[in-house]
Amino acid sequence: MKSVFLICCVFLLCSFSGAVEKTIWLNEMDLTLFDLEIGQAMKNTTMMGSPIIISGVTYENGVGVTTPAKYLIELNGNGTHFYAEVGPCEMKFPGRPDGPAPGGDDKKPGGNGAAPAGTPGPGVPRMSPTMDFYVLGDKQVLWHSGTMKNGDKAKIADIDLIGVKKLALVVVSVNGRGPLGGMAAWVNGKITYSGDVTPKAVTNKTVSGNAPKILTPAESELPKINYPKVIGATEGKPFIFAIPVTGKKPLQVTIDNLPKGLVLDSGTGIITGTSPAQKGTFILNVTVKNSLGEAKDKIELKVGDLLALTPPMGWNSWNAGGMSVDQVKIRAAADVIADKLRGHGWAFVNIDDGWQADKRTDEGLLLTNHKFSDIKGMGDYIHSKGLRFGIYSSPGPRTCGQAIGSYQHENQDAATWGKWGVDYLKYDWCSYGSIVQDNSLDELQKPYKMMHEAIVKTNRDIVYSLCQYGMGDVWKWGPEVNGNLWRTTMDIQDNWKSILNTGFTQTNNADYAGPGHWNDPDMLVIGTVGWSRDTKPTKLSPDEQYSHFSLWSLLSSPLLIGCEMDKLDSFTLGLLTNDEVIGVNQDVLGHQAKLVKKGSDFQVWAKNLSDGSKVVGLFYTGDTESSATDPVKMINWGDNKTEPAKLISIDFNLLGLTGKQQVRNLWSQQNIGTYDGHFETEVNFHGVGLIKLSAIK
Ligand code: GLA
């Protein structure tokens, strides 16, 4: 009786005081809220889907991340203790010394072990990263691992959390980022807490406080001829080009001097047929009419050696579906592009990785997998919409998603694509790293030259996209191997840091861009993205998306939409249909903007247009230096939710301009006044002011 009474007392005491301690494992929390620049945090594996191994020890319970990594947890003062072991991960797959494991349909990290987006193929030099792990509580450093390098034994963080309201786990890497920089893991991580409120991960995203606002004016019903105003072709090739026209339907397009061999569908503006057999410039006098009026303009058809006279505009499947892409999605994308975007110049529908079958035929022919039962029919469908069809492969035996590559089958593969009616090839280095003999320029160029020779034999105009992440300063020799565009960076991700690392780094290569030859800082990460079946709205804020699109336009970058087209929302549509902004990208001069002014938290970029005007982007980038290394500044503690706008100015002499300038806001398509010597404007956090300056005569 006495003992029963005692047990009851203990029980009551515990429940009333709330002293019963509970544990939540880190790997059971919402890992999608781990704030990474590349990929997503993984439960019990590294980002590459391999086991978590730190200094030879394999851990079953852990969270694999790439650096830098940030994770914010609300404790509400209920936490009592945090425990974790941390360290840089070794990259080992069972049976493979290094590099990604074989992939399947869906290149989702951990889904099948294939490399995550942002991952370079083997053969891309890996750095030897060092990294620092931090545990922070309410803006204080509670624990710091010190600087760790590959091979170091895991270190233990074992700390009290009494009184802490917000706990943050941060990994900082000073000498490398992402898969090139490092794979890190928090293993056996757990939080003990008392009370009924379970510690919960919360978003670390810094918000600018600005809701999505469509700045692009509503599409006019009047007939209008948009960009591009120039198109390149080589002699006597199958030709397809949709005159970019908008306005209330039905529209009627006429061209009074269409070269022989070409046919115009006047209801759609689609020109098909065979390009002229002689080199030369053909000026097409285009008229578009509807019930409200007519518009006239000239479009130049330049038959010569160059394709892609303006940066290619289109869609690519990668940032949306990753390896999960199928022909239904591609057809649906073609439908949306034809319906909503073709009139604004969007022309390519490109399949990225994930279309190939596992085996070649006995004759060595490359086949499609079950998701592409009729690829030729799909290509024909794309063409029937006045759009062009792009495909993807690798010079190595395997693509980055571990599908079959074109190594030793270059001619055969190009011939196959020719038969399917391909108009664009993205050729991605990936496993060619295991073939290449050394880092010499010859070796870097070899596979790209070889494939170019093969595609020339197809008798099609195939825009050639080199994807090798900028190795060997590709912009210096891309034209030599007949590349029309070349990736200059690692894979883009939908976060601001990634935009800074890709777009905002493109000033030194500016002189190498021009008609037919474009620097490619990777595809657009606006709209619904996800690199897998599991897509979500981009993590970029609306202001960040304006900056992204404005910068890519200033840079004359290829514009390849990377979102799910059947989930195109009105905000994203607004971003993609502003003809004045697109006109900056598609300007015939092909000048790439340069950085003209920089402060610790802003940048100003300027581009020359063919009409003698300048386009200037005033970007409020945010503090890019200390926030990259100071762990406390890497966390959004919730007290700076709305960053105020900032006044950014530019002196006209920095732009090489003298005299009065008419200033036009390109997103709103409104003149904002006449300025002399200087212009300044308020810019939202991570946002942009995009203006055009035209001299007043
Ligand atoms: C690399 C490229 C990406 C994409 C994938 C496909 O990561 O950089 O753009 O093509 O391969 O596996």
Side-chain angles (χ1 to χ4, degrees):
M1 190 62 200
K2 204 167 158 192
S3 57
V4 171
F5 175 75
L6 264 177
I7 289 169
C8 286
C9 284
V10 170
F11 177 77
L12 285 174
L13 206 68
C14 290
S15 35
F16 284 122
S17 65
V20 177
E21 285 208 328
K22 299 176 198 156
T23 298
I24 180 160
W25 292 93
L26 192 59
N27 67 355
E28 277 165 5
M29 299 184 72
D30 182 355
L31 300 184
T32 64
L33 290 170
F34 243 104
D35 183 3
L36 308 180
E37 284 170 25
I38 291 184
Q40 63 195 56
M42 300 299 301
K43 180 174 181 173
N44 304 339
T45 70
T46 68
M47 276 292 307
M48 308 281 278
S50 63
I52 295 178
I53 307 172
I54 302 174
S55 185
V57 181
T58 304
Y59 294 86
E60 306 223 314
N61 173 324
V63 178
V65 296
T66 51
T67 60
K70 301 158 240 176
Y71 197 48
L72 184 60
I73 302 164
E74 263 328 330
L75 294 177
N76 297 308
N78 291 331
T80 52
H81 208 82
F82 175 77
Y83 176 91
E85 293 153 60
V86 302
C89 294
E90 290 166 26
M91 290 308 310
K92 290 216 174 94
F93 287 92
R96 287 171 73 98
D98 188 20
D105 279 359
D106 197 341
K107 196 176 169 183
K108 187 176 169 189
N112 58 14
T119 307
V124 176
R126 284 172 201 275
M127 293 175 235
S128 198
T130 58
M131 54 187 79
D132 290 58
F133 293 75
Y134 294 89
V135 180
L136 312 174
D138 301 331
K139 296 190 196 168
Q140 303 295 317
V141 176
L142 303 180
W143 182 84
H144 174 202
S145 64
T147 300
M148 298 183 74
K149 60 180 187 323
N150 270 343
D152 284 356
K153 284 205 169 65
K155 291 197 179 171
I156 295 177
D158 192 359
I159 47 182
D160 279 337
L161 295 178
I162 306 295
V164 173
K165 293 198 172 58
K166 283 185 177 164
L167 175 73
L169 311 180
V170 176
V171 193
V172 183
S173 177
V174 178
N175 65 346
R177 321 180 80 81
L180 280 184
M183 300 283 181
W186 298 83
V187 296
N188 297 326
K190 59 182 176 184
I191 298 168
T192 40
Y193 64 101
S194 57
D196 293 331
V197 187
T198 314
K200 195 169 151 248
V202 290
T203 179
N204 181 48
K205 206 167 146 40
T206 311
V207 289
S208 65
N210 295 303
K213 187 169 168 205
I214 300 173
L215 301 175
T216 303
E219 196 166 289
S220 166
E221 297 216 311
L222 295 173
K224 189 154 144 282
I225 302 169
N226 299 312
Y227 294 91
K229 310 262 189 209
V230 60
I231 169 145
T234 66
E235 307 101 288
K237 299 283 163 39
F239 184 85
I240 187 152
F241 176 67
I243 303 278
V245 285
T246 48
K248 189 175 173 214
K249 293 194 173 116
L251 291 163
Q252 202 207 353
V253 183
T254 49
I255 300 175
D256 65 15
N257 52 349
L258 195 62
K260 215 171 111 244
L262 295 177
V263 180
L264 170 74
D265 177 326
S266 71
T268 57
I270 299 171
I271 306 174
T272 50
T274 306
S275 59
Q278 281 87 36
K279 287 191 174 151
T281 299
F282 300 79
I283 310 277
L284 312 183
N285 294 319
V286 182
T287 304
V288 56
K289 284 187 190 160
N290 68 7
S291 56
L292 302 171
E294 70 169 37
K296 285 181 183 291
D297 209 342
K298 293 186 190 319
I299 293 194
E300 275 183 72
L301 165 59
K302 287 193 173 170
V303 180
D305 298 324
L306 281 183
L307 303 177
L309 296 181
T310 59
M313 288 176 71
W315 176 84
N316 170 296
S317 58
W318 186 248
N319 293 352
M323 296 295 277
S324 75
V325 60
D326 60 39
Q327 74 187 23
V328 178
K329 280 228 174 279
I330 300 282
R331 280 173 175 255
D335 288 342
V336 178
I337 295 169
D339 183 29
K340 301 196 160 102
L341 298 177
R342 190 181 67 204
H344 300 277
W346 300 92
F348 287 96
V349 179
N350 297 349
I351 327 176
D352 205 280
D353 209 350
W355 59 269
Q356 314 86 329
D358 277 350
K359 284 207 178 79
R360 291 178 178 271
T361 64
D362 291 346
E363 295 74 41
L365 289 176
L366 189 50
L367 300 171
T368 57
N369 59 33
H370 65 278
K371 297 179 293 159
F372 290 87
S373 57
D374 178 14
I375 198 159
K376 166 81 172 76
M378 191 193 80
D380 291 347
Y381 186 74
I382 293 171
H383 289 151
S384 75
K385 303 261 164 183
L387 303 170
R388 278 168 278 166
F389 165 30
I391 209 154
Y392 167 97
S393 190
S394 168
R398 295 269 156 192
T399 65
C400 292
Q402 298 299 308
I404 289 184
S406 295
Y407 182 56
Q408 293 183 331
H409 292 273
E410 293 80 3
N411 283 311
Q412 247 178 338
D413 289 359
T416 303
W417 300 327
K419 283 192 197 127
W420 292 345
V422 161
D423 308 296
Y424 183 114
L425 170 67
K426 172 173 170 185
Y427 207 40
D428 192 353
W429 180 267
C430 301
S431 66
Y432 194 78
S434 59
I435 306 296
V436 74
Q437 301 295 310
D438 52 50
N439 280 337
S440 66
L441 198 56
D442 275 357
E443 284 291 297
L444 290 178
Q445 293 184 344
K446 193 161 122 191
Y448 288 100
K449 282 187 175 156
M450 204 184 282
M451 181 50 85
H452 183 258
E453 281 161 22
I455 57 179
V456 164
K457 294 181 203 150
T458 64
N459 205 36
R460 291 192 67 82
D461 275 346
I462 298 184
V463 170
Y464 193 26
S465 155
L466 319 182
C467 179
Q468 47 83 289
Y469 337 110
M471 284 188 291
D473 292 352
V474 59
W475 44 91
K476 296 185 179 156
W477 51 265
E480 229 179 285
V481 300
N482 292 290
N484 296 116
L485 59 153
W486 39 80
R487 279 272 298 279
T488 53
T489 65
M490 298 307 296
D491 290 15
I492 198 166
Q493 292 286 297
D494 58 333
N495 59 65
W496 185 241
K497 207 34 107 9
S498 180
I499 302 297
L500 291 172
N501 290 341
T502 51
F504 284 96
T505 53
Q506 306 292 302
T507 195
N508 293 333
N509 55 22
D511 290 337
Y512 298 91
H517 307 299
W518 309 105
N519 289 308
D520 173 10
D522 208 359
M523 299 171 284
L524 299 167
V525 278
I526 56 180
T528 305
V529 294
W531 295 269
S532 69
R533 271 185 209 102
D534 181 16
T535 52
K536 296 195 176 72
T538 177
K539 284 187 251 147
L540 295 179
S541 72
D543 282 312
E544 290 169 346
Q545 295 181 62
Y546 278 117
S547 292
H548 180 21
F549 200 93
S550 303
L551 184 60
W552 265 236
S553 296
L554 283 160
L555 293 175
S556 303
S557 301
L559 294 178
L560 289 160
I561 306 164
C563 66
E564 292 236 59
M565 293 310 279
D566 46 1
K567 294 189 182 143
L568 196 62
D569 55 284
S570 52
F571 176 77
T572 311
L573 189 63
L575 285 172
L576 298 174
T577 53
N578 191 312
D579 298 310
E580 295 201 15
V581 179
I582 291 173
V584 175
N585 177 270
Q586 293 291 300
D587 184 66
V588 292
L589 191 63
H591 182 249
Q592 177 176 322
K594 289 186 181 170
L595 180 63
V596 291
K597 186 178 175 190
K598 185 176 189 262
S600 65
D601 61 359
F602 74 90
Q603 297 189 14
V604 181
W605 292 68
K607 165 173 178 155
N608 302 331
L609 292 192
S610 50
D611 65 0
S613 64
K614 299 236 178 213
V615 178
V616 177
L618 303 113
F619 296 90
Y620 180 10
T621 53
D623 173 2
T624 51
E625 271 107 51
S626 68
S627 61
T629 47
D630 179 341
V632 176
K633 286 197 177 163
M634 290 166 83
I635 295 296
N636 174 15
W637 296 100
D639 44 12
N640 57 348
K641 278 263 185 254
T642 308
E643 295 277 350
K646 180 185 171 75
L647 198 64
I648 304 181
S649 69
I650 184 75
D651 285 340
F652 291 171
N653 59 13
L654 272 183
L655 302 169
L657 294 177
T658 48
K660 285 193 181 148
Q661 305 289 324
Q662 172 67 254
V663 177
R664 185 167 175 82
N665 179 329
L666 292 183
W667 280 107
S668 66
Q669 302 183 356
Q670 281 167 348
N671 288 340
I672 42 183
T674 303
Y675 289 77
D676 201 357
H678 169 97
F679 174 80
E680 63 185 23
T681 185
E682 292 252 309
V683 182
N684 288 341
F685 184 65
H686 290 180
V688 62
L690 187 69
I691 52 163
K692 179 167 166 173
L693 301 161
S694 313
I696 292 179
K697 295 183 182 117

